Short mmCIF file of all heavy atoms in Angstrom, two decimals:
data_model
loop_
_atom_site.label_atom_id
_atom_site.label_comp_id
_atom_site.label_asym_id
_atom_site.label_seq_id
_atom_site.Cartn_x
_atom_site.Cartn_y
_atom_site.Cartn_z
N MET A 211 86.35 102.28 138.63
CA MET A 211 86.12 101.71 137.30
C MET A 211 87.23 102.12 136.34
O MET A 211 87.72 101.29 135.57
CB MET A 211 84.75 102.16 136.78
CG MET A 211 83.57 101.48 137.47
SD MET A 211 81.96 102.09 136.86
CE MET A 211 82.02 101.61 135.13
N ARG A 212 87.63 103.37 136.39
CA ARG A 212 88.74 103.81 135.51
C ARG A 212 90.02 103.09 135.84
O ARG A 212 90.77 102.70 134.92
CB ARG A 212 88.93 105.32 135.64
CG ARG A 212 87.75 106.14 135.11
CD ARG A 212 88.07 107.63 135.13
NE ARG A 212 86.87 108.42 134.80
CZ ARG A 212 86.08 108.98 135.69
NH1 ARG A 212 86.35 108.90 136.99
NH2 ARG A 212 85.00 109.65 135.30
N SER A 213 90.28 102.87 137.13
CA SER A 213 91.52 102.17 137.52
C SER A 213 91.52 100.73 137.04
O SER A 213 92.60 100.14 136.88
CB SER A 213 91.69 102.23 139.05
OG SER A 213 90.80 101.35 139.70
N CYS A 214 90.34 100.16 136.82
CA CYS A 214 90.25 98.78 136.33
C CYS A 214 90.31 98.71 134.81
O CYS A 214 90.28 97.60 134.25
CB CYS A 214 88.95 98.14 136.82
SG CYS A 214 88.91 97.81 138.59
N GLY A 215 90.39 99.87 134.15
CA GLY A 215 90.60 99.87 132.71
C GLY A 215 89.45 100.39 131.86
O GLY A 215 89.56 100.44 130.62
N PHE A 216 88.33 100.78 132.48
CA PHE A 216 87.20 101.28 131.69
C PHE A 216 87.43 102.73 131.26
O PHE A 216 87.99 103.53 132.01
CB PHE A 216 85.91 101.17 132.50
CG PHE A 216 85.43 99.76 132.67
CD1 PHE A 216 85.74 99.05 133.83
CD2 PHE A 216 84.70 99.13 131.67
CE1 PHE A 216 85.33 97.73 133.99
CE2 PHE A 216 84.28 97.81 131.83
CZ PHE A 216 84.59 97.12 132.99
N ALA A 217 86.96 103.03 130.06
CA ALA A 217 87.04 104.38 129.51
C ALA A 217 85.64 104.99 129.46
O ALA A 217 84.64 104.27 129.57
CB ALA A 217 87.65 104.34 128.11
N ASP A 218 85.60 106.30 129.27
CA ASP A 218 84.32 107.01 129.11
C ASP A 218 83.34 106.63 130.23
O ASP A 218 82.18 106.31 129.97
CB ASP A 218 83.73 106.72 127.73
CG ASP A 218 82.57 107.67 127.37
OD1 ASP A 218 82.53 108.78 127.94
OD2 ASP A 218 81.72 107.28 126.56
N VAL A 219 83.81 106.64 131.45
CA VAL A 219 82.97 106.24 132.58
C VAL A 219 81.97 107.34 132.92
O VAL A 219 82.33 108.51 133.03
CB VAL A 219 83.86 105.92 133.81
CG1 VAL A 219 82.98 105.60 135.02
CG2 VAL A 219 84.79 104.75 133.50
N ARG A 220 80.71 106.94 133.08
CA ARG A 220 79.64 107.89 133.36
C ARG A 220 78.81 107.42 134.55
O ARG A 220 78.76 106.23 134.85
CB ARG A 220 78.72 108.05 132.14
CG ARG A 220 79.46 108.35 130.85
CD ARG A 220 78.50 108.51 129.70
NE ARG A 220 79.20 108.57 128.42
CZ ARG A 220 78.62 108.91 127.28
NH1 ARG A 220 77.32 109.25 127.26
NH2 ARG A 220 79.30 108.94 126.16
N HIS A 221 78.13 108.39 135.16
CA HIS A 221 77.25 108.08 136.31
C HIS A 221 75.97 108.88 136.19
O HIS A 221 76.00 110.05 135.79
CB HIS A 221 77.97 108.44 137.63
CG HIS A 221 77.03 108.61 138.78
ND1 HIS A 221 76.67 109.86 139.28
CD2 HIS A 221 76.34 107.71 139.53
CE1 HIS A 221 75.83 109.70 140.27
NE2 HIS A 221 75.62 108.42 140.45
N ARG A 222 74.85 108.23 136.51
CA ARG A 222 73.57 108.92 136.56
C ARG A 222 72.88 108.56 137.86
O ARG A 222 72.80 107.37 138.21
CB ARG A 222 72.67 108.49 135.39
CG ARG A 222 73.23 108.78 134.00
CD ARG A 222 73.17 110.26 133.67
NE ARG A 222 73.59 110.51 132.30
CZ ARG A 222 74.84 110.69 131.90
NH1 ARG A 222 75.83 110.62 132.80
NH2 ARG A 222 75.13 110.95 130.64
N ALA A 223 72.37 109.56 138.58
CA ALA A 223 71.59 109.31 139.79
C ALA A 223 70.13 109.18 139.40
O ALA A 223 69.58 110.04 138.71
CB ALA A 223 71.77 110.46 140.79
N LEU A 224 69.48 108.10 139.83
CA LEU A 224 68.09 107.86 139.56
C LEU A 224 67.29 107.93 140.87
O LEU A 224 67.77 107.46 141.90
CB LEU A 224 67.90 106.49 138.91
CG LEU A 224 68.77 106.17 137.68
CD1 LEU A 224 68.47 104.76 137.17
CD2 LEU A 224 68.56 107.19 136.59
N SER A 225 66.12 108.52 140.80
CA SER A 225 65.25 108.62 141.98
C SER A 225 65.99 109.22 143.17
O SER A 225 66.04 108.62 144.26
CB SER A 225 64.68 107.24 142.33
OG SER A 225 63.94 106.69 141.25
N LEU A 226 66.56 110.40 142.96
CA LEU A 226 67.26 111.16 144.01
C LEU A 226 68.50 110.44 144.53
O LEU A 226 68.99 110.73 145.62
CB LEU A 226 66.32 111.45 145.19
CG LEU A 226 65.09 112.29 144.87
CD1 LEU A 226 64.19 112.41 146.09
CD2 LEU A 226 65.48 113.68 144.36
N GLY A 227 69.03 109.48 143.75
CA GLY A 227 70.21 108.75 144.16
C GLY A 227 69.94 107.44 144.86
O GLY A 227 70.87 106.76 145.29
#
Side-chain angles (χ1 to χ4, degrees):
M211 287 178 62
R212 293 186 188 98
S213 74
C214 290
F216 289 96
D218 193 23
V219 176
R220 308 181 190 191
H221 161 257
R222 300 286 185 273
L224 309 179
S225 301
L226 299 175

